[in-house]
Amino acid sequence: MPDIEKIRFLTVNYSRLQGLKAVPWGLLMFVVVIWSNAQHGPARDLTLPLLLLGAGVVMYAAIDGYYQRTFGRIEPAGHALFVDVILSTGFSAIAVGAFILDTRSIVPVNLFALVFAVSLVLDYYRMLHLAGAKRAAIFPVGLICIVEIGLAAFLPLLGEGVWRGIGFRSPIFFVYAVIGIIITVYGLAGHLYLARSMPAEREADHG
Amino acid sequence: MDNPFEELAGLDRLIHEPARLAVLTALASCKSADFLFLQRLTGLSGGNLSSHIAKLEESGLVHVEKQFIDKRPNTRIQISEQGRKAVREHWKKLDQLGGKAREWRKTE
């Protein structure tokens, strides 16, 4: 008997589980944060970040092609796409607001990381709900990464000694660098989950 | 109480066959999927999957469309309304039978 819950989960969340697409953005975030941290005063030459952004776009397109050629294509159900767009737009706007508040150091925790973690929790709940899945731990590594992003919001509370000791000029750089790494790991975990759940042909062709 | 195991044996075999149930479950969860996706999802060989899809198409449970994408042949499969209704009823029956089987006791 096939695992109906897992089949639904994989199909409904196919685009979300194409985790390699997140890797260029996680690496971009990490590298840009490290670069920003190394600047003395406002950055004047944005060549490197813009080149990296361009490279990220090219890599994303190449990775998308890889998934289509290797794992196939689906057209998601229409109503799910509409809700995805609304939620993504809403959370992106909130994240921008959180970033602005972070730069003003109004609260001692990183609001961007908190907003990001909350959006991932809601997204994970949505992944389960759309698939009618009852097992919350159907994608355990994803859950762990979400918790880690949430915890990253509290890293500034470790104190100046910790993030200055590692070489960061401010807790924002420290937290965003950590988030960049976690996004990369989350993406790799999603891809491994997909690849293991959908291996290449498992039976011989009997014609 | 009816014997749920007898009811289990009476399930529609067209839909209940594991590979076809997997295919219909996947197709009911999206608008359409291509052959490669269904093959990766089920782990079936190309020939075996083709055979199952042909049976489902003959019974009107799926529609098959052959197209070209980037000059490469691509087979797109979509579940029909009849297929969607049939697989939903099948899941419902399986859930009900699961419940009955857990409560079933032999009558003397």
Side-chain angles (χ1 to χ4, degrees), chain A residues 59-94:
Chain A
M59 279 179 70
Y60 184 92
I63 291 168
D64 186 55
Y66 158 74
Y67 277 115
Q68 288 182 16
R69 285 189 309 274
T70 310
F71 293 92
R73 300 161 195 267
I74 67 158
E75 269 183 271
H79 63 276
L81 263 177
F82 176 73
V83 175
D84 281 347
V85 168
I86 297 292
L87 287 176
S88 301
T89 308
F91 270 102
S92 297
I94 296 171

Side-chain angles (χ1 to χ4, degrees), chain B residues 27-38:
Chain B
L27 292 175
S29 305
C30 63
K31 201 171 162 188
S32 71
D34 73 355
F35 187 89
L36 175 59
F37 177 81
L38 293 175

Side-chain angles (χ1 to χ4, degrees), chain B residues 1-93:
Chain B
M1 184 183 280
D2 295 338
N3 185 333
F5 306 105
E6 286 175 1
E7 288 185 60
L8 199 62
L11 285 173
D12 184 345
R13 288 183 186 192
L14 175 66
I15 297 173
H16 194 61
E17 201 287 330
R20 290 195 285 270
L21 183 57
V23 167
L24 287 172
T25 299
L27 292 175
S29 305
C30 63
K31 201 171 162 188
S32 71
D34 73 355
F35 187 89
L36 175 59
F37 177 81
L38 293 175
Q39 191 180 1
R40 291 295 296 240
L41 192 68
T42 59
L44 294 171
S45 66
N48 211 347
L49 179 61
S50 289
S51 163
H52 287 300
I53 288 174
K55 285 196 176 106
L56 291 172
E57 192 184 19
E58 269 169 35
S59 307
L61 299 181
V62 302
H63 301 302
V64 177
E65 183 191 333
K66 292 189 191 296
Q67 55 187 0
F68 280 88
I69 296 178
D70 297 334
K71 296 181 187 173
R72 288 180 185 171
N74 182 273
T75 303
R76 183 173 159 256
I77 302 108
Q78 196 174 15
I79 194 167
S80 65
E81 271 315 303
Q82 180 193 346
R84 199 177 289 277
K85 194 180 164 194
V87 77
R88 275 191 192 143
E89 302 227 345
H90 193 83
W91 295 329
K92 209 170 146 185
K93 233 183 256 181

Side-chain angles (χ1 to χ4, degrees), chain A residues 13 28 30 44 49 52 63 79 89 101 103 120 124 144 157 162 186-187 202 204:
Chain A
N13 298 301
L28 175 70
F30 179 76
R44 289 197 172 84
L52 289 173
I63 291 168
H79 63 276
T89 308
L101 289 173
T103 57
L120 287 177
Y124 192 85
I144 292 168
L157 296 175
V162 172
Y186 187 49
R202 298 188 278 275

Side-chain angles (χ1 to χ4, degrees), chain A residues 47-173:
Chain A
T47 307
L48 180 64
L50 289 172
L51 274 175
L52 289 173
L53 180 62
V57 170
V58 169
M59 279 179 70
Y60 184 92
I63 291 168
D64 186 55
Y66 158 74
Y67 277 115
Q68 288 182 16
R69 285 189 309 274
T70 310
F71 293 92
R73 300 161 195 267
I74 67 158
E75 269 183 271
H79 63 276
L81 263 177
F82 176 73
V83 175
D84 281 347
V85 168
I86 297 292
L87 287 176
S88 301
T89 308
F91 270 102
S92 297
I94 296 171
V96 168
F99 172 73
I100 292 169
L101 289 173
D102 282 340
T103 57
R104 293 179 189 174
S105 302
I106 290 174
V107 292
V109 297
N110 191 282
L111 293 174
F112 179 86
L114 274 180
V115 167
F116 194 21
V118 167
S119 73
L120 287 177
V121 165
L122 290 176
D123 194 55
Y124 192 85
Y125 171 75
R126 188 165 156 63
M127 286 168 81
L128 295 177
H129 175 70
L130 283 175
K134 294 183 180 105
R135 293 175 288 175
I138 198 167
F139 180 36
V141 178
L143 276 178
I144 292 168
C145 287
I146 291 169
V147 168
E148 285 176 352
I149 289 176
L151 290 174
F154 299 94
L155 286 174
L157 296 175
L158 291 175
E160 197 174 317
V162 172
W163 40 267
R164 280 205 192 276
I166 303 173
F168 287 99
R169 290 191 288 128
S170 99
I172 292 181
F173 292 135

